[in-house]
Amino acid sequence: MRLIILLVIIYLCYRALKSWMIQDKSPQKTVFGKTAGEIEDDLIKDPFCEVYFSKRDGVHMKVEGEDLYFCSTECRDKFVASHSKK
Ligand SMILES: [Zn+2]
């Protein structure tokens, strides 16, 4: 009976090790998948939340002839709302 328990433990260890090995060798999903062009892209500041982000990812809006970029549509909407209250 003890032997069976031992075998089960060994089997579980083997499976755990195997799944770990598979995970380790999984197709390389490059974290740095960005192209040089994206890295060189301008960093701009969100006029509402003052967060820096890539211009490419920004939400563009023209305010009084000025190009503004926001980190999200949420910030853009809040910016518009805060400015329309004037
Ligand atoms: Zn923002």
Side-chain angles (χ1 to χ4, degrees), residues 45-53 69-76 78:
K45 197 177 176 186
D46 185 313
F48 184 77
C49 67
E50 300 188 330
V51 155
Y52 285 92
F53 60 94
Y69 291 88
F70 300 88
C71 70
S72 64
T73 51
E74 204 177 301
C75 276
R76 183 199 60 191
K78 283 176 184 172

